[in-house]
Amino acid sequence: MRSFRDEKALWDFIRPRLRGKWSRVETVTPEGMFDSWGLYQQSQFWMELKIGKPNINALRPSQHDFLIELVRHGQPAWLCFGYRGEPLFFEGLNLAVAKVPPFYQPSTARV
């Protein structure tokens, strides 16, 4: 079983499967800004990467505030948790059900 030791390992796994243009914005960013930003099919998306069991409490308060602002302004926002060797995606504030985003192409081959 694969495991993600940190967010970079999760990014390295999902990056080849992301459609469109994606960048990590991890370095000098305003506090709370999500660490990934992408363009796909004439839309932009924000995504925060986390390692561990999906839980809204995994976000720092400033990240939670950023997520709320994105949702409030109708901007596509995703959380990606590396959990039990798989990337799990959640749209907006809904962590009840994992969902494959339109910009992600899951691999059919197991590593």
Side-chain angles (χ1 to χ4, degrees):
M1 179 199 296
R2 156 188 346 103
S3 68
F4 304 110
R5 64 188 174 282
D6 55 24
E7 290 177 9
K8 183 182 180 324
L10 176 58
W11 174 255
D12 290 344
F13 178 79
I14 69 170
R15 176 59 194 107
R17 296 161 177 85
L18 296 175
R19 297 175 183 157
K21 170 70 175 150
W22 282 85
S23 298
R24 286 286 304 241
V25 289
E26 190 68 47
T27 52
V28 184
T29 60
E31 186 173 351
M33 184 178 282
F34 281 11
D35 55 21
S36 306
W37 175 79
L39 298 169
Y40 177 68
Q41 291 189 341
Q42 301 175 344
S43 294
Q44 69 174 345
F45 298 87
W46 287 97
M47 182 168 53
E48 177 62 30
L49 305 177
K50 293 293 181 188
I51 301 300
K53 186 175 181 179
N55 186 320
I56 197 71
N57 294 328
L59 297 176
R60 293 188 314 268
S62 58
Q63 292 171 327
H64 188 261
D65 292 345
F66 187 71
L67 175 59
I68 289 171
E69 285 299 311
L70 289 171
V71 170
R72 186 169 75 83
H73 290 281
Q75 296 300 303
W78 291 83
L79 302 174
C80 177
F81 287 85
Y83 183 63
R84 294 188 175 175
E86 295 297 327
L88 300 176
F89 296 89
F90 299 89
E91 187 174 17
L93 294 163
N94 182 4
L95 269 72
V97 178
K99 180 177 176 181
V100 177
F103 53 79
Y104 186 72
Q105 178 63 52
S107 173
T108 54
R110 292 300 246 172
V111 177

